[in-house]
Amino acid sequence: MNPSYLCLTDLLDQNPSAYEYFQTLPSSIQDTLLREDDGVTSFDRLQARVAYLRTAERTKRWS
């Protein structure tokens, strides 16, 4: 099971895998995640949120 953290910043500070993954993301997604910080309290949630944001970006480009 994936440990849970207080917020995205806490996750990135305490989970090296999450931090490394976050650093590979485009700056636009990093900025959105940091600005919103809406319930990203585990590495699984971080990955799910990134997948959602990428889908939203693709959809926006095709509209």
Side-chain angles (χ1 to χ4, degrees):
M1 184 160 163
N2 223 345
S4 186
Y5 299 90
L6 298 173
C7 62
L8 176 61
T9 305
D10 190 39
L11 170 66
L12 297 176
D13 286 345
Q14 296 187 39
N15 185 315
S17 295
Y19 177 80
E20 288 175 17
Y21 175 72
F22 182 83
Q23 293 302 315
T24 67
L25 299 171
S27 60
S28 61
I29 291 181
Q30 287 182 11
D31 293 344
T32 299
L33 288 166
L34 290 170
R35 186 176 55 252
E36 294 177 355
D37 194 9
D38 59 349
V40 178
T41 57
S42 70
F43 190 32
D44 288 341
R45 286 187 177 185
L46 174 60
Q47 291 173 312
R49 184 70 179 139
V50 168
Y52 173 81
L53 291 171
R54 285 185 168 152
T55 300
E57 278 188 351
R58 276 187 238 121
T59 302
K60 197 192 277 187
R61 277 188 240 146
W62 297 105
S63 297

